[in-house]
Amino acid sequence: MLRTTMLLLAMLTAYISALAQGGQAIFQVGGQDVYAGDFLHHHPEYTAGGDTSGLCRALQQYADFRTMVCEASRLRLDTTTLYRKAMDYHRHQEIQAHITSSPRASKIVQELILQSKYQYRVWLMRFDIYFNSHGDTATAYRKAIRAKEMAASGSFEATARQISDEPSTKSNGGYLGWASPVNIPAGHEILEYIYAHHNGGSSISRPIRSGNSYYIVIADGRRPAIDTLGISPIIIRKTPRARINDSIRTLMLGIEDKLKSGADFGQLQTEYSDIKFGQRMSLEQACRTYSTHIADNIKEGGYSPMMETPDFFCIARIDYTHALDVSISYQKALRERIPGTVVYQNMSQYFMDSIKSISGYSKKGNLAVIAKLMPDSTIFEAKWQPGNLGYLSQTLFTYGGQNYSYADFAEYIKATQYVTAYCKIPEYVEERYQDYLNMITASQAYAYMEQSNARYRKALANDSHEALLAMLRLHPSHPKGMPTMQQALQYSRETGLSPKTSHSIRMRLYSYHDAANKKKAMKNAEALAMDSTAAPGLATLAESGTYQLGMSEAADMIIAGLDSGKYRMPANRLIYLDQINSFAIVEIDQRPEPLSDSETYSIVASNCAAHIMESWMSNLRQRHGLAMQPNACQTVAEALR
C-alpha cells in the first residue's frame, strides 16, 4: 500500500512538474525530457511578439543547443579560468542587451526600423579627429571644410579618393550606393541628416560631427527598400596582362552596344560570360559580389552599363526584385544587427561614459610620469621591466571611490604591454591608459547592473547553459571557424561545388508519359542505356543532342546535378527525372573548367565549415540520444495560445 502511494505521489509530482514546464515533452536528450516551457524560457520573443514564423527551425536549434550543453557537461570542462571567460562573455552580452534596450538606444532602433523601409543613395567622406590631430578637433574640421570646397568646385569622388580617411573611399570614391540605414558606416547624426535631406539633390552637407570624426555627405535619393533580387551576369575575369585586359574592356563595350541594339542577353551570356547562370541574392550581397553600382539599376529586365572592378568586367541583368517587408521578424533581425553598427558603438560609448560619471571618475595625475620611466625605443622589442614601483604611490586617478596609483597603472603595462614597432612613448602610454580605464569601466558596468537590476542578476546567476556553451566553444573538440585549405579542397572534390563553367552533356531523353508506366518503362531503360539500337518499348524519345546550360529544362536539371555532385559519371549514366515522367541516357561532352585552389577555397569554404559543423552536431545528437517528438512544434504552438 505504501509503495503504491509513493508511486502515485511520484507520478503526481512528475505531472505537476510537466505542467509547470509547459505541458508535454517536446524532445528528449541526455536521458531527460525537455518541455515547451523550457523552450519558451529561452525564446521569450515568441510569447511577447505573437509572431510564430520560424518556430520549428528555432525548436530544432534549441534541441541542438541542449545537446551541446549535455556534451559540455560530459567533458567536465574546466570551471575556473574557462568559466570566468565564459561569464565575461555572457556579461558582455548583458551589456549589449542593456545598451540596446536603454531609452536613447531604443528610440534610435525604432527610427532605424521605420527608415529601413527605404534605401538612400549616399556619398560620404570621413575625417578622423585623432588620426589628423591627436584630439585637436580644429585640424580635422579645417580638413573637412577644405574637402567640401574641393568637392563643390570639382568632383566629390575624386576628392574622397584623395583625402578621405575612410579606407573604402580609396576605391569607391565615397559612393555607398543605395544603402539601408543599418548598413551606413556612420553615426546617428549622419543618419538624421540623410533622413532630412535625401531630396536635396546633390548638395554637399556641412561638416557633421559624429563620434571621433567629421563627415561630409551627399544624399540625393530615397526609394522603397529592396530585400533580394535575381541577377544574371555577363562577367569576364581580368588577367595579369594589361594588354589582354584592354581587349576584354573593348569586347565588353561591344557587348553593351549589342544589348542596346536589342541583342538577346541570354545568348551573349552563353557565348562570352565566365558565369552562365543567374542567382538570387540580397542587395547587400550583390553589391559586395559585383559592384556598389549594381544597386543603381533595379528595373526588372533592365541591365547595367559595363562595370569594371579590380578583378573583372561585368554587365548585369536584373531578372526580378523582391521588396523588403518590415515585419516583426525583420525588426527582430534588425535589432540583432544593431550591436555590429556604428550606432551601437556610439551608444556603447555613451553607456560607458555614463558609468564613468556615476562612478566618480576623476584623473588626478599626469601620464608623463609613466612615459619618463620608459626607454626611447627598445621597450617594444624587449618587454619593459621597470623594477620596484613602490615609490609611485601617488594617485593617478580615482574611480568608484577607489584611488589608483601610478604603480597600479605601471604594473598593468608591465603585465600586458604590446610588442610592436610603435615608438612614440607618450602616445603609447595614452593608448594603454585608455585600455586600463576601459577594463575598469567594464568591471564597474557589471557591478552596476548586478546591483541595480534584478533581471541582470537573475540572468548572471541562473543562465549557466550559456556559460557551458561558451566553454565548449573553447574546447579542442569544437569546430573552429573556417576550414583549412586542405579540408576545403577535399570537400570540393567530394561534392563538385567549384566548377568555373558548367557541364556540357550529350543526352537522349525518353518520356514514359505517366507515372503509372514507370515500372514497365524501367524494364527496357537499362537496355537503352547499354545499346542505342534497343527498342524503346513504352518510352518515347523526346529530345536528343548536345546540351549546355539554358538550352533545355531537362538538361538543366541534369547539368545542375552534375555541377553540384548529385550525379556522377559513369554511375549515373541512366538518370530518372520523375518530376517530368522521363528518364535520360547521359554522357559527358565537356567537363567544367577547374578553378585555382584559392578561388575554389573562396567559393566552398563557408559550405565546408557548415558541413563540418553539421557532422559534429550529428555525432552529438547520436551520442546524447536526441529524440524529437513528432508533434513537438504543434505542442509549442498550442502552449502559446
Side-chain angles (χ1 to χ4, degrees), residues 67-107:
T67 303
M68 287 190 282
V69 168
C70 290
E71 177 68 4
S73 300
R74 183 190 75 83
L75 292 172
R76 299 175 183 269
L77 296 174
D78 178 15
T79 56
T80 53
T81 305
L82 288 176
Y83 184 79
R84 187 171 65 252
K85 288 181 179 179
M87 290 309 293
D88 284 345
Y89 171 81
H90 182 60
R91 285 167 173 161
H92 177 67
Q93 303 304 306
E94 292 299 328
I95 285 181
Q96 282 195 354
H98 182 90
I99 293 167
T100 53
S101 62
S102 68
R104 186 174 182 217
S106 294
K107 179 182 177 183

Side-chain angles (χ1 to χ4, degrees), residues 135-431:
D136 177 9
T137 59
T139 302
Y141 182 80
R142 284 195 297 270
K143 187 176 179 182
I145 289 290
R146 182 161 60 92
K148 178 180 179 179
E149 293 171 350
M150 290 172 62
S153 61
S155 163
F156 188 98
E157 294 186 31
T159 305
R161 286 191 174 95
Q162 182 180 347
I163 64 174
S164 174
D165 296 330
E166 182 68 34
S168 63
T169 56
K170 304 305 178 188
S171 59
N172 66 16
Y175 182 53
L176 300 183
W178 289 91
S180 295
V182 77
N183 300 126
I184 294 174
H188 195 252
E189 295 84 355
I190 309 305
L191 295 179
E192 287 180 334
Y193 176 86
I194 292 169
Y195 300 156
H197 296 83
H198 60 81
N199 287 325
S202 11
S203 58
I204 304 173
S205 76
R206 57 178 173 77
I208 306 171
R209 173 74 183 269
S210 181
N212 292 322
S213 298
Y214 282 102
Y215 293 84
I216 301 291
V217 181
I218 294 177
D220 66 351
R222 184 180 78 172
R223 71 181 184 199
I226 298 298
D227 181 18
T228 57
L229 67 167
I231 294 183
S232 295
I234 297 175
I235 189 167
I236 303 179
R237 293 182 178 88
K238 287 185 173 180
T239 73
R241 300 177 63 181
R243 183 177 296 178
I244 296 177
N245 289 337
D246 289 341
S247 299
I248 297 173
R249 186 181 294 107
T250 302
L251 171 64
M252 290 295 287
L253 290 171
I255 293 173
E256 185 177 5
D257 289 339
K258 290 180 181 179
L259 288 169
K260 290 177 181 177
S261 301
D264 181 67
F265 186 95
Q267 185 175 346
L268 291 172
Q269 184 192 50
T270 302
E271 184 174 355
Y272 294 107
S273 181
D274 290 340
I275 296 176
K276 304 182 189 298
F277 54 83
Q279 56 189 140
R280 177 192 176 109
M281 56 176 60
S282 68
L283 182 60
E284 184 181 355
Q285 183 185 0
C287 291
R288 286 199 310 267
T289 304
Y290 297 106
S291 166
T292 304
H293 289 278
I294 196 76
D296 292 340
N297 177 46
I298 61 166
K299 183 180 178 182
E300 295 184 14
Y303 52 84
S304 71
M306 192 271 286
M307 299 176 290
E308 181 176 350
T309 76
D311 300 315
F312 55 77
F313 299 94
C314 176
I315 297 172
R317 182 181 66 192
I318 307 300
D319 297 324
Y320 58 84
T321 62
H322 286 167
L324 180 68
D325 177 17
V326 188
S327 62
I328 293 174
S329 297
Y330 174 72
Q331 291 185 28
K332 177 175 177 288
L334 184 60
R335 284 190 178 92
E336 290 171 351
R337 292 179 65 183
I338 294 301
T341 66
V342 175
V343 170
Y344 171 78
Q345 292 163 14
N346 288 349
M347 289 296 95
S348 178
Q349 188 63 51
Y350 176 81
F351 175 65
M352 290 304 180
D353 288 346
S354 69
I355 293 293
K356 292 177 187 176
S357 176
I358 65 175
S359 300
Y361 163 67
S362 176
K363 190 175 178 182
K364 303 292 185 183
N366 192 319
L367 294 176
V369 174
I370 300 295
K372 288 178 181 178
L373 297 177
M374 297 187 175
D376 290 337
S377 61
T378 57
I379 171 177
F380 307 106
E381 298 169 8
K383 282 203 169 187
W384 177 46
Q385 299 294 335
N388 181 18
L389 297 170
Y391 68 98
L392 296 174
S393 58
Q394 288 184 304
T395 299
L396 175 60
F397 66 95
T398 60
Y399 204 122
Q402 179 178 343
N403 292 331
Y404 292 84
S405 68
Y406 287 99
D408 294 328
F409 176 46
E411 288 287 0
Y412 170 76
I413 293 181
K414 178 182 176 181
T416 63
Q417 62 188 295
Y418 301 147
V419 180
T420 115
Y422 201 102
C423 59
K424 294 181 180 179
I425 301 301
E427 293 176 16
Y428 174 82
V429 172
E430 178 66 38
E431 186 177 346

Side-chain angles (χ1 to χ4, degrees), residues 3 21 51 61 68 140 201 208 258 284 361 372-373 394 398 420 429 457 464 488 503-504 519 547 570 623 638:
R3 182 177 179 182
Q21 297 181 76
D51 176 25
Q61 290 174 341
M68 287 190 282
I208 306 171
K258 290 180 181 179
E284 184 181 355
Y361 163 67
K372 288 178 181 178
L373 297 177
Q394 288 184 304
T398 60
T420 115
V429 172
R457 282 205 308 274
S464 59
H503 283 76
S504 174
K519 289 186 178 180
Y547 297 87
R623 172 181 289 159
E638 289 175 354

Side-chain angles (χ1 to χ4, degrees), residues 386 549 630:
L549 201 62

